[in-house]
Amino acid sequence: MVWTLLSLLPNHFKIELARPPQPSPNRNWENVGNDKGGTRYASLPQINRDNVKQLQVAWTYHTGDAAAFGTTIECTPIVVDGVMYLTTVKIKVVALDAATGKELWTYDPGARGVNRGVGYWSDGKRGGARRIILATGDGRLISLDAQDGKPDVTFGEQGVVNLRAGLEGDVSKLQYGSTSAPAIFEDLAIIPIINAEAQPGAPGDIRAFNVRTGKEAWRFHTVPRPGEAGHETWDGDGWKARSGVNAWSGYTVDTKNGIVFAGLGSAASDFYGADRTGSNLYANSTVALDARTGKLKWHFQTVHHDVWDHDLPCPPVVCTVRRNGKTIEAVAQPTKTGFIFVFDRHTGKPIYDVVEVPAQPSTLTGEKAWPTQPEPVKPPALEPRVVALNDLTNISPEARAYMLEEIKKYRFGKPYLPPSVEGSVIAPGFHGGATWSGASFDPTTGLLYINTNNAPFLCKMIPNSSGGFDFGGYTYFNDKDGYPGVKPPWGNLTAVNLNTGEFAWRIPLGEHPALKAKGLPPTGTQNFGGTIVTSGQLVFIGATMDEKFHAFDKTNGKLLWEYQLPAGGYATPSTYMVNGRQFVVIAAGGGGKLGTKSGDTFIAFALPVKAGGTVQPYAR
């Protein structure tokens, strides 16, 4: 059959029908986290630690919509039956032949901003309905036919649901939408939400919609109303019309037990909470909900009354832990504060003890900082949470001398130091610790792989005319040359054994070429974009400011292969198999918070094809 472009369609469609499922062996990557629990683990050993040095570019796809600077791509492509689905710089949805990179169809929703991927749903019937679900930053939920990219006219209004509809009050001019992929469970799409990080703002409620009709199925109030559990943690009327408290980074799902998990953000406003005194549930909490009804099963708050923007940056990973001869169904929650909390996924009970440690009082009028903060006894903190004099940079005598003078201007040296008028040195910084890219998990070993940042910020508050305080802006605690003002490494990749609560290995992630040229060892760099792990004994990650894509030995962290990308790979890769050939793909979009040059490329890598058109045999 010859597949041709359809005519007589609106201009925003460019369509070539997605080809039917390909012959096996195919291995899909159907969710941004591969499985719905977000492990990002692939049982694909064709590319392995013995042959990974042979990887070469199999194909590239240019989105054609990037600027030279300032734009980025954070999308993890999904792959289903030989077809890849991704979002571009300007949030076009594209279907590609996953073996060749050939464009099959595109859909332009006319949205802008950041997007980390799409959801996929099928009715499970051969030749049945298959849908790509896109949630946009401007507040739309869109259902597309996976075969041709046309909107599903039976979903919402001609394929589109207005997510602002049904919210209380007038939110028409307020920020409300989504930057992360919906979680798909049975016939439900559970939607991540971005909203204002200051007042006024829209609510951060968790909402699920029917994938077939677009109708809202359930809603969970992330700021509990009177009569709901947790309401007592808000003093007075501090709960009313409260923004923030949103699962902006997405969800994971335990499909076996029908539980959806979220890591919730901080309550607005991020850095001053005089109008929201109390511990503020369910802000900064891991929450477990019945995936079919939205009913709360359990919660755990990782930061009380947050004034550091230390929202949970990612959903927890659904995993299994072996402790004292028992197998425990668990979830592991990475945090911006640099900790990993590990919970029994049924009860929310921490698998490793959690202690409340003293925190510092606020010096700002009206602010009531919480007197303690929770810390797990295991695993160890992934990054420092204090900057003392001994922690200041040692990359050169000049840099250290500069920082010794600079730090005298600010409050420093104690954990959980609240924002102040003088300015407080905050560690880990506002970018973590962990970031939105979260972690991957190998179920065969119990190892969790996570990349983190060690780049402190300054938090300075400015008195305003109403008697309160405004945030003075995002300012790094850097040396005079723009490097973090603390000792490296400034970025790390860590393998954490969840069965023991100890690190299996830990390495600096990335390097600064200018410092390397001066003879410094790898310093690590700030990084955005996560890991995946495979049965080929490999961990793949881009993420670093040196714009490289890396493959590490998952058993010891040894670098086995790297590739210089055309722009930073600030996204999480995916891996899949088509017609017996394994591919690894990553977006090279650059830009973003790290400010390097922007790009527009998706690059797929594979082993070279041997004579006769074959790669090495696939190990079943």
Side-chain angles (χ1 to χ4, degrees):
M1 180 179 292
V2 178
W3 300 88
T4 58
L5 294 175
L6 298 179
S7 58
L8 303 177
L9 288 171
N11 290 334
H12 63 283
F13 294 105
K14 179 182 178 184
I15 297 174
E16 181 177 345
L17 291 181
R19 57 197 175 96
Q22 298 299 295
S24 61
N26 282 355
R27 291 293 183 90
N28 294 336
W29 189 280
E30 289 193 9
N31 309 276
V32 291
N34 194 11
D35 56 89
K36 295 185 185 298
T39 65
R40 305 203 300 248
Y41 172 80
S43 180
L44 287 174
Q46 185 181 93
I47 301 170
N48 56 60
R49 61 184 170 199
D50 296 323
N51 61 26
V52 68
K53 289 184 179 179
Q54 301 175 38
L55 275 187
Q56 58 185 222
V57 174
W59 56 258
T60 60
Y61 174 76
H62 294 279
T63 67
D65 55 356
F69 287 91
T71 61
T72 191
I73 308 173
E74 296 182 357
C75 172
T76 298
I78 64 171
V79 179
V80 184
D81 296 333
V83 179
M84 177 179 293
Y85 304 95
L86 56 84
T87 54
T88 74
V89 174
K90 293 185 178 179
I91 325 301
K92 296 177 184 177
V93 183
V94 180
L96 304 177
D97 183 314
T100 66
K102 179 185 177 182
E103 186 177 289
L104 302 175
W105 57 255
T106 66
Y107 173 83
D108 187 355
R112 296 296 179 263
V114 171
N115 182 273
R116 299 188 180 102
V118 295
Y120 170 80
W121 172 87
S122 79
D123 62 9
K125 300 177 181 178
R126 185 177 179 84
R130 297 185 298 143
R131 299 289 181 262
I132 298 300
I133 308 297
L134 171 71
T136 66
D138 58 8
R140 288 174 291 159
L141 185 63
I142 302 172
S143 177
L144 305 175
D145 188 305
Q147 185 170 343
D148 58 20
K150 295 172 63 175
D152 173 10
V153 296
T154 65
F155 180 88
E157 297 292 330
Q158 299 299 306
V160 180
V161 168
N162 176 5
L163 290 173
R164 286 184 171 82
L167 297 180
E168 296 178 3
D170 182 7
V171 297
S172 60
K173 297 181 180 179
L174 299 177
Q175 182 184 26
Y176 192 81
S178 185
T179 55
S180 297
I184 308 298
F185 174 70
E186 295 179 351
D187 283 354
L188 298 175
I190 307 165
I191 311 304
I193 290 299
I194 54 169
N195 56 2
E197 297 188 16
Q199 295 294 103
D205 293 346
I206 300 173
R207 302 166 72 193
F209 293 80
N210 185 288
V211 174
R212 298 175 184 268
T213 66
K215 293 182 179 179
E216 184 172 324
W218 56 256
R219 182 184 309 195
F220 173 75
H221 294 142
T222 57
V223 177
R225 311 293 178 84
E228 295 178 341
H231 177 73
E232 69 284 356
T233 66
W234 299 81
D235 294 341
D237 291 335
W239 63 276
K240 285 187 175 180
R242 184 60 53 184
S243 192
V245 199
N246 53 319
W248 56 270
S249 60
Y251 307 92
T252 50
V253 182
D254 172 358
T255 56
K256 172 187 171 184
N257 297 296
I259 307 172
V260 61
F261 300 96
L264 292 174
S266 51
S269 295
D270 279 343
F271 303 101
Y272 184 63
D275 63 341
R276 55 172 175 87
T277 54
S279 61
N280 302 151
L281 288 177
Y282 294 98
N284 306 85
S285 297
T286 301
V287 296
L289 309 179
D290 184 309
R292 296 180 179 91
T293 66
K295 182 179 179 180
L296 180 69
K297 297 180 73 71
W298 58 262
H299 76 277
F300 188 95
Q301 190 174 52
T302 63
V303 178
H304 309 311
H305 187 78
D306 184 14
V307 290
W308 304 276
D309 191 24
H310 276 159
D311 45 353
L312 288 175
C314 56
V317 180
V318 177
C319 57
T320 300
V321 176
R322 291 283 299 173
R323 290 281 294 161
N324 302 320
K326 296 182 179 180
T327 299
I328 304 171
E329 293 186 330
V331 289
Q333 176 69 71
T335 70
K336 276 189 182 179
T337 53
F339 292 107
I340 298 172
F341 291 83
V342 188
F343 306 110
D344 182 303
R345 77 175 84 143
H346 298 278
T347 66
K349 180 180 178 180
I351 290 174
Y352 297 102
D353 289 343
V354 176
V355 296
E356 292 282 339
V357 301
Q360 308 305 310
S362 176
T363 58
L364 300 180
T365 302
E367 183 61 86
K368 295 181 180 179
W370 203 257
T372 63
Q373 294 294 341
E375 294 186 358
V377 298
K378 286 185 175 183
L382 292 161
E383 298 295 349
R385 55 191 177 83
V386 176
V387 176
L389 294 178
N390 189 52
D391 300 312
L392 297 179
T393 184
N394 59 359
I395 63 171
S396 71
E398 296 78 13
R400 182 167 180 80
Y402 176 86
M403 294 310 302
L404 282 168
E405 289 301 313
E406 186 72 7
I407 201 170
K408 294 177 182 178
K409 305 174 185 177
Y410 310 111
R411 301 183 71 204
F412 68 95
K414 295 181 179 180
Y416 305 109
L417 197 61
S420 61
V421 172
E422 305 94 322
S424 301
V425 181
I426 305 298
F430 303 141
H431 295 162
T435 72
W436 56 262
S437 54
S440 60
F441 176 74
D442 187 338
T444 68
T445 63
L447 295 187
L448 183 99
Y449 299 92
I450 185 165
N451 51 303
T452 51
N453 291 312
N454 176 27
F457 273 73
L458 295 171
C459 194
K460 190 171 185 178
M461 305 299 287
I462 301 171
N464 59 35
S465 58
S466 63
F469 297 85
D470 296 323
F471 178 51
Y474 291 91
T475 305
Y476 281 111
F477 182 62
N478 281 352
D479 71 14
K480 59 184 178 60
D481 295 317
Y483 298 110
V486 292
K487 293 176 182 176
W490 302 317
N492 288 291
L493 176 60
T494 307
V496 183
N497 187 330
L498 294 186
N499 297 326
T500 65
E502 304 293 342
F503 294 166
W505 53 260
R506 179 173 171 85
I507 59 170
L509 180 62
E511 59 188 14
H512 288 280
L515 297 180
K516 182 179 179 180
K518 294 180 179 180
L520 270 70
T523 59
T525 75
Q526 284 197 81
N527 53 91
F528 287 93
T531 58
I532 64 173
V533 58
T534 78
S535 62
Q537 308 302 308
L538 296 172
V539 171
F540 287 98
I541 185 171
T544 54
M545 292 181 70
D546 54 18
E547 303 173 319
K548 292 180 179 179
F549 189 33
H550 321 80
F552 297 96
D553 188 316
K554 73 178 186 181
T555 65
N556 56 26
K558 180 182 178 182
L559 179 65
L560 299 177
W561 172 84
E562 63 183 12
Y563 180 87
Q564 188 68 54
L565 296 168
Y570 306 145
T572 301
S574 57
T575 186
Y576 58 94
M577 178 166 280
V578 180
N579 294 333
R581 192 181 190 196
Q582 184 183 354
F583 298 82
V584 181
V585 64
I586 190 169
K593 289 183 171 64
L594 298 182
T596 57
K597 67 180 182 295
S598 294
D600 75 339
T601 312
F602 285 83
I603 305 178
F605 300 87
L607 296 174
V609 176
K610 297 180 180 180
T614 62
V615 293
Q616 69 178 52
Y618 170 57
R620 293 182 182 273

